[in-house]
């Protein structure tokens, strides 16, 4: 047996290499608690390329983000500006490829029937916010799993801008938007909010969706 001092003596301390969550781990966390996050989920080169893409696209027509069914912009509720990804750069293609693999792995593990992934870049300026909300209305079964990918490099605790997840009224997690982190949660079940960052905060917000015709509605495209 090891002496108990083994655990406390600094010369025996070592750091394990950081391992991010596998897609199977993510499925397990979604099944167990409905939410989770994976630090360093994306390769640093890809995160840098995506941030470069955001900067390249700065002059495009970013939209004040919409809220609710009518899609009206509401600066009382959220202040971010968004631009949909369309696969128009190598970075976007690589990113969409990884998210496509995650979609297949979640379907395999959880039989969710996710049939596509839609996502947009989002930029919050310092002081911006997105008040507590859910991403999908109960019963609509359209957006099933929400994912947020953070892109701004060198994000520190002091930069704030946390994603806060709730279980009803109770806070259950406060996630720092560090570059490379993937936050994920069930779209209908997990209320969440974005706290004001102290500097510009770039991310990709996305949703795995299932075909709404499977929920007793007729799919207009089908
Ligand atoms: C959203 C959202 C969270 C975040 O875009 O719906 O909740 O951390 N984003 O950016
Ligand atoms: Mn949201």
């Amino acid at each position: 047996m090891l002496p108990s001092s083994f655990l406390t003596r600094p010369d025996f301390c070592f750091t394990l290499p950081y391992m991010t969550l596998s897609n199977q781990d993510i499925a397990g966390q979604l099944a167990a608690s409905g939410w989770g996050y994976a630090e360093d989920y994306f390769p640093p080169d890809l995160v840098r390329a995506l941030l470069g893409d955001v900067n390249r696209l700065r002059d495009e027509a970013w939209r004040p983000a919409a809220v609710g069914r009518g899609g009206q912009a509401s600066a009382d509720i959220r202040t971010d500006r968004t631009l949909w990804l369309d696969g128009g750069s190598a970075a976007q293609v690589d990113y969409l490829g990884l998210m496509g693999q995650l979609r297949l792995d979640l379907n395999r593990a959880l039989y969710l029937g996710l049939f596509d992934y839609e996502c947009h870049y989002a930029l919050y300026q310092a002081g911006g916010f997105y008040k507590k909300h859910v991403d999908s209305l109960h019963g609509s079964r359209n957006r099933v799993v929400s994912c947020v990918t953070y892109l701004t490099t060198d994000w520190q605790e002091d930069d704030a801008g946390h994603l806060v997840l709730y279980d009803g009224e109770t806070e259950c997690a406060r996630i720092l938007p560090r570059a490379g982190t993937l936050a994920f949660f069930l779209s209908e079940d997990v209320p969440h909010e974005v706290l004001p960052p102290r500097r510009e905060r770039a991310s990709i917000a996305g949703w795995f969706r299932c075909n709404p015709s499977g929920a007793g509605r007729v799919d207009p495209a089908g």
Side-chain angles (χ1 to χ4, degrees):
M1 190 158 124
L2 290 167
S4 60
S5 60
F6 176 84
L7 295 171
T8 49
R9 277 181 51 182
D11 47 328
F12 285 113
C13 286
F14 55 92
T15 7
L16 292 169
Y18 185 80
M19 302 283 285
T20 193
L21 298 186
S22 69
N23 289 352
Q24 284 65 36
D25 296 331
I26 290 173
Q29 294 206 1
L30 278 172
S33 59
W35 63 271
Y37 64 98
E39 293 187 316
D40 302 317
Y41 182 78
F42 296 96
D45 285 355
L46 175 58
V47 177
R48 260 191 300 279
L50 289 165
L51 188 62
D53 207 41
V54 168
N55 288 325
R56 181 181 66 83
L57 294 166
R58 271 187 196 268
D59 293 336
E60 296 292 311
W62 291 64
R63 296 171 160 267
V67 181
R69 283 215 163 127
Q72 67 276 38
S74 172
D76 295 345
I77 297 173
R78 67 188 295 187
T79 64
D80 55 327
R81 287 179 312 125
T82 63
L83 186 70
W84 290 96
L85 274 73
D86 60 4
S89 67
Q92 290 188 28
V93 170
D94 288 353
Y95 175 78
L96 293 170
L98 288 178
M99 297 310 283
Q101 187 59 51
L102 178 57
R103 181 176 72 82
L104 296 177
D105 290 340
L106 292 179
N107 280 343
R108 243 175 243 132
L110 303 173
Y111 306 101
L112 285 174
L114 306 172
F115 84 111
D116 86 349
Y117 176 69
E118 58 174 9
C119 61
H120 58 54
Y121 286 127
L123 279 172
Y124 291 78
Q125 297 310 311
F129 55 83
Y130 193 161
K131 299 264 171 73
K132 188 175 172 189
H133 66 281
V134 285
D135 285 344
S136 180
L137 297 173
H138 259 281
S140 70
R141 291 282 294 159
N142 189 8
R143 290 175 168 181
V144 179
V145 177
S146 302
C147 289
V148 194
T149 300
Y150 300 105
L151 303 179
T152 308
T153 36
D154 197 27
W155 198 272
Q156 307 293 325
E157 201 66 45
D158 272 358
D159 295 323
H162 297 78
L163 169 65
V164 185
L165 305 181
Y166 293 90
D167 178 359
E169 297 301 311
T170 312
E171 188 176 315
C172 54
R174 209 169 255 237
I175 299 165
L176 192 67
R178 285 184 64 236
T181 294
L182 175 71
F184 52 88
F185 50 89
L186 295 177
S187 305
E188 288 185 1
D189 297 342
V190 180
H192 55 281
E193 81 175 301
V194 178
L195 299 180
R198 295 222 170 84
R199 63 183 176 116
E200 186 183 74
R201 174 191 193 269
S203 61
I204 300 173
W207 299 273
F208 291 114
R209 302 188 306 166
C210 77
N211 192 328
S213 63
R217 287 205 270 144
V218 177
D219 180 357

